[in-house]
Amino acid sequence: MTDKQFNFWQKWLTYANMLTIIVGILVAFVGNSIFFELHNDYTKDVFFSSLELEPEVLKLKNWLFGIIGATIIGFHVLMVMISENAFKNKEIWAYKAMWFGLLSWFVVDSSISFYYGAIHNIILINLVALLLIGLPLIMTRKVFIKVILFHYLCDL
């Protein structure tokens, strides 16, 4: 992989996480807007038999979306910082940390969503994020494998 190709995927990783920060802001502050209409409709179908939410339930949902949005923001700010620093410098820990962070979130979130029948969350949110952020990690794997091999050979 050329430096130009690596830089493309590294920037993709940064911009994908920046886009997800924007999504987190939207989740936190406008979770009932048109941006999340499809997700909210499916959530009402799964958990409330499509009934309109009572004001107290809507208030709880908005609070939960607020803290979920904040968590999304924090996680992806960290991912941007790693991408723009250690990942860009091809530090192996950054590559591993990004995979472990992404996969641990995906497995736990998707498992809970599946358990409760919220398959729409897996399809609309989780798989999109996994693809968007996982793709540059897959595409740069050979660079990091070479780094691992180099360090291993130097230690012999």
Side-chain angles (χ1 to χ4, degrees):
M1 171 173 281
T2 66
D3 284 343
K4 186 176 181 179
Q5 291 169 318
F6 180 83
N7 291 338
F8 169 83
W9 290 112
Q10 182 270 319
K11 286 300 178 193
W12 174 308
L13 189 56
T14 294
Y15 296 140
N17 281 286
M18 290 172 80
L19 176 66
T20 309
I21 291 168
I22 294 168
V23 171
I25 292 167
L26 293 173
V27 167
F29 294 105
V30 291
N32 290 321
S33 69
I34 193 168
F35 298 114
F36 301 100
E37 187 173 351
L38 186 61
H39 191 276
N40 290 334
D41 287 346
Y42 281 126
T43 300
K44 279 196 312 188
D45 289 348
V46 170
F47 295 105
F48 299 98
S49 301
S50 297
L51 298 172
E52 287 305 312
L53 301 181
E54 295 292 325
E56 297 83 16
V57 174
L58 187 58
K59 188 175 179 181
L60 173 64
K61 182 249 183 213
N62 290 341
W63 172 67
L64 290 172
F65 264 43
I67 59 176
I68 290 166
T71 303
I72 292 168
I73 294 165
F75 179 81
H76 292 281
V77 164
L78 182 59
M79 295 285 271
V80 167
M81 297 304 293
I82 292 171
S83 177
E84 283 297 307
N85 292 286
F87 187 93
K88 182 187 268 186
N89 293 329
K90 300 175 184 164
E91 296 179 29
I92 191 65
W93 75 265
Y95 183 78
K96 290 177 183 178
M98 293 184 115
W99 266 124
F100 292 150
L102 181 64
L103 292 176
S104 63
W105 157 77
F106 180 83
V107 168
V108 172
D109 191 294
S110 296
S111 297
I112 291 169
S113 294
F114 184 79
Y115 178 81
Y116 286 101
I119 306 305
H120 65 282
N121 189 63
I122 298 169
I123 295 168
L124 296 174
I125 306 295
N126 297 5
L127 288 174
V128 173
L130 182 66
L131 180 63
L132 192 64
I133 296 166
L135 183 61
L137 295 175
I138 290 169
M139 297 306 293
T140 57
R141 73 190 178 285
K142 289 181 182 176
V143 170
F144 290 97
I145 289 170
K146 287 180 184 177
V147 171
I148 292 169
L149 290 174
F150 176 76
H151 287 291
Y152 176 75
L153 293 174
C154 288
D155 289 342
L156 289 179

